[in-house]
Every structure is written in C-alpha cells, then in structure tokens.
Amino acid sequence: MSTSIKITRENGGIRTTLANNDGVSALVAYMDSLPSGFTASDRIKEIASLDEVKSLGITADATDSHIKALYYHLREAFRINPALRVYVAIYELAEDDAEYDMEEIAKVLDFAGGEVRQMVIWSPKEYKKTDIALLQEVATKAENEDKPLSIIYCPAVTDVLTMESGVAKGNKNVSVCIGEDIDESVKIDGVTKTMAGIILGLVSSAKVNESIAWVRKFDTGMYKPGFVDGKAFKDLTVTQITKLEANRLIFVKTFAGYSGSYISDSYTMDEATSDYNAIERVRTMDKAARGVRNYLLPFVGSPVEIDAETGKIDAATIEMWKNEGNRFLEQMERDGELSGFEVYIDSEQNILSTSTIEVVIRNVPMGVARNILIKMSYTEVL
C-alpha cells in the first residue's frame, strides 16, 4: 500500500485590491426571501469575493429561486470583475402597484459612507416609467450630498416592445437595462432573472471614461442574448431594435460574423442631446467633482489675501487655488479619462462682501466611437 500527501491549490482567498474607488458598487435586490447571512435588521453586507457570497447563504443550489438568482448575479459580476467590491442589500419585494421606498436605497448609500459610485437595482417587479423619476430623485439627493452615483435599473418587463419610455430631461443618473441571458442552462424557474450581475461587473470594471459597449474590451459572456420578456435578440427586426434604442434602453446584441455578445450602448435616461447622455459621461464628471472637492475642501474657512492697491484677490492666492483645482484633473488627463480641462478664477470677485470664491472648471471629455463609417470602392489606380 502506498502513502501520499496531496495538496489542492484553491483560489479566491485573497481579496483583490482596487487601484481606486471607481469600481465600488452596490447591488440592491428586491426579493421575498433572506439568505441565512441576512436578517430583517441586517440587510446590507459588503462583499469582495464569491466565497463571501456563499458564506452568507447565497448559493447556486438554494431552494429559493430568488436566492438562486442573486447568486447567479453575483457570480457573473465576479466573473467579469474579480476585483469587485460591492454592497449587497436585500429588501422586500413590493407589490406590482406599489412604489419603491426610496429611503431603502438611501440607506445603502449611507451604510457605504458615500463610497458607492454605481448602483444596480434588480427587481422582479414589473417596470413602470414612474420608477425612473423616483430613482433620479434618489440620485439627485445623493449628488447634492456630495455622493454622486449612477443607477442602473433591471426590472421585469412583460413585453419590451410595448414598454413606456422613461426618457426625460434631467434623468442623467438612471439607466434601464432590459437584457437577459435566456439560455436554458442559466434559466431559473419562477423569477425574472435580468442581467443585473453582468451589467454590474461591466460598469465596475470599466474606467470612468469607457463605454461598456466597447466591443474589444467588454464581451458579456452571454450564452444566448435576449430580453427579460424571453425574446431572443436574433428574433427581433431592425425596426424593433431601432425602437428600443430610441427609448434609450440597454440590452445585449451580437454582430454578424463576429463572436461574442456586447452591450447595445451605455445610455442614460436623459435626452439624447444632453451632455450626460451616457453612463461614462456621468461617471467621468462624478469622478472629477469628487476629486476636485477633496482637494479644495481643506480651504473652506481659510483666509484669502486681498491686493490692497487694487482690491482684487491676490494673484498668488488665485494661482495657489488653481493649482489645487488642477491636481486631480491633471491625473485624470494623464490616465486618459479626460481630454483636457481648464480651471478659472475671476480675480474681480468681491469676496469681502460675499465670502465666496467661485471656481469655474471646464472639462473636455474623451470621445466614444459609437459608429464607424467605412467607404470602400474599386479604383483603376492608387
């Protein structure tokens, strides 16, 4: 009889650390059941690995379909972004005719101490366009409290081709995702699964300036791209797809002759002409605002020297304030998150009467090649 010792090397025991907080996220799940690691008075958990997910009673073999679906979402999120740090919150599923309790979502932001940059909301409740305004209300309040974020809403939809548009001026922080992997191998009976985990993984892993529709970088990994109502992407006509895009809905599509499946676009529910018509536009500005605020916040209440001869703000003081405002934006420019920027402070401001200094910052965003036009023909000579 031989003797031996065998060592199995396992993975996932060390938390992958993030280079910054751009990827810090939240997943708010509305469902009837609580996994064993949650209680009615303890509904929010910070999670940084799939092992932690399982330790909280969120498993693939759960008997409850909602818990099983939540595991699927978190598994997909960590598949796409192993460095994900996510606050998972579970709240009771509302009746179809009930509004969401926005206070619950605000609790998640408070629990995370303002760290959350993007929040995905998974709700098996039927979509209503009034949900968009309610979610934007939460985001606007958070922005006013210096905790800006993007919200991606993944609801149930009976028919994606007849759903009402939630597009309205100012809905810049809310996106609606109607995609789902409808392959039988990932089907979960009794629940509208959506693609909350996939979209969470993609947005959290993207740089703030990057569109999650970037084909080279962001393959969704779906087996069979479709919609939350069970339709397959391949079965829709060009006219039907165009209508979904006009309603600024996010889903997953494929390209003829090219493998993989990809996000249709990174729409927000703001108007198409808005400066904040895409998630990356919002995330970039949010990052710039957070960074500049942190650099200039120490100067609140500080003395400001006045040139005694002109009555204007001292030139050296203006230069110092501009340099502080520049520091974070310079790093964003070096990182390829901004094309350029300008910080301007008017020396004519009467700070003696207002006790206020106005700092004007103009940012030039990175562009996104959403469409590529190729002109090709034969010619007799070059």
Side-chain angles (χ1 to χ4, degrees):
M1 181 182 293
S2 64
T3 60
S4 68
I5 181 170
K6 183 178 181 180
I7 299 174
T8 301
R9 291 169 172 81
E10 297 186 344
N11 197 357
I14 299 176
R15 287 190 174 199
T16 305
T17 56
L18 299 170
N20 51 51
N21 286 337
D22 296 345
V24 177
S25 307
L27 173 60
V28 178
Y30 284 93
M31 46 195 274
D32 292 327
S33 303
L34 285 172
S36 58
F38 294 72
T39 68
S41 59
D42 185 18
R43 292 180 173 272
I44 308 171
K45 302 287 184 180
E46 182 185 359
I47 298 173
S49 74
L50 199 56
D51 282 342
E52 291 180 30
V53 172
K54 296 173 184 177
S55 71
L56 292 167
I58 306 170
T59 60
D61 59 358
T63 55
D64 183 271
S65 59
H66 283 117
I67 295 176
K68 189 180 293 187
L70 181 57
Y71 175 80
Y72 165 78
H73 289 315
L74 291 168
R75 184 196 72 193
E76 290 298 280
F78 280 106
R79 172 182 65 82
I80 294 170
N81 183 10
L84 174 66
R85 182 154 67 92
V86 57
Y87 292 88
V88 176
I90 301 175
Y91 291 108
E92 189 173 354
L93 184 63
E95 298 296 331
D96 283 345
D97 59 349
E99 303 287 2
Y100 285 107
D101 185 348
M102 297 298 108
E103 293 301 318
E104 294 173 347
I105 298 175
K107 286 177 182 177
V108 180
L109 300 179
D110 291 340
F111 182 93
E115 282 193 314
V116 172
R117 271 49 172 178
Q118 45 273 327
M119 174 184 288
V120 174
I121 296 177
W122 168 50
S123 173
K125 187 171 80 73
E126 182 71 16
Y127 163 88
K128 292 190 297 184
K129 73 173 185 177
T130 53
D131 296 338
I132 310 307
L134 291 170
L135 293 173
Q136 181 59 51
E137 187 180 313
V138 172
T140 299
K141 184 175 184 293
E143 185 174 302
N144 291 338
E145 295 173 352
D146 301 308
K147 297 180 288 189
L149 81 161
S150 294
I151 296 176
I152 303 163
Y153 181 38
C154 301
V157 182
T158 300
D159 185 351
V160 297
L161 298 179
T162 61
M163 62 187 291
E164 290 186 278
S165 171
V167 176
K169 183 178 181 180
N171 286 343
K172 65 183 179 67
N173 299 94
V174 181
S175 300
V176 177
C177 181
I178 58 169
E180 183 175 319
D181 191 338
I182 60 172
D183 192 80
E184 284 293 323
S185 65
V186 291
K187 183 179 179 181
I188 300 174
D189 292 332
V191 64
T192 300
K193 191 169 77 272
T194 79
M195 56 175 287
I198 292 173
I199 201 80
L200 173 63
L202 292 173
V203 176
S204 64
S205 63
K207 292 176 62 176
V208 294
N209 64 288
E210 291 175 347
S211 168
I212 54 174
W214 185 1
V215 170
R216 187 177 71 179
K217 187 170 182 179
F218 300 117
D219 187 338
T220 68
M222 274 193 185
Y223 296 114
K224 187 176 181 180
F227 300 89
V228 293
D229 62 357
K231 294 183 179 68
F233 171 78
K234 65 181 181 62
D235 293 336
L236 265 64
T237 66
V238 172
T239 300
Q240 290 170 329
I241 293 295
T242 300
K243 179 181 178 182
L244 296 180
E245 291 179 332
N247 286 336
R248 304 185 59 75
L249 298 165
I250 296 175
F251 50 93
V252 174
K253 65 181 181 180
T254 58
F255 295 94
Y258 197 86
S259 63
S261 57
Y262 307 93
I263 297 296
S264 58
D265 211 325
S266 52
Y267 299 121
T268 66
M269 296 305 282
D270 204 346
E271 295 175 327
T273 54
S274 169
D275 287 350
Y276 303 100
N277 58 10
I279 294 172
E280 64 272 12
R281 287 281 188 88
V282 176
R283 293 182 75 215
T284 298
M285 188 61 80
D286 284 353
K287 180 171 183 175
R290 283 176 180 267
V292 171
R293 176 181 182 271
N294 287 343
Y295 274 101
L296 292 181
L297 187 58
F299 292 91
V300 172
S302 66
V304 177
E305 186 174 350
I306 305 298
D307 188 314
E309 295 183 2
T310 65
K312 299 178 182 179
I313 300 175
D314 177 68
T317 299
I318 285 183
E319 195 62 28
M320 183 268 293
W321 278 64
K322 286 177 63 177
N323 288 339
E324 288 300 312
N326 284 340
R327 287 171 63 190
F328 189 79
L329 300 176
E330 285 172 349
Q331 186 61 52
M332 288 187 68
E333 186 176 23
R334 284 193 294 270
D335 291 341
E337 296 169 337
L338 283 175
S339 295
F341 66 91
E342 179 185 50
V343 179
Y344 173 73
I345 300 175
D346 184 1
S347 63
E348 301 284 347
Q349 295 178 67
N350 190 347
I351 190 172
L352 294 178
S353 63
T354 65
S355 296
T356 299
I357 286 187
E358 182 177 87
V359 181
V360 178
I361 299 176
R362 292 190 287 260
N363 295 318
V364 181
M366 298 290 287
V368 173
R370 285 186 158 78
N371 302 288
I372 299 175
L373 176 63
I374 301 171
K375 296 183 178 181
M376 185 181 297
S377 66
Y378 285 116
T379 182
E380 293 183 352
V381 293
L382 295 175

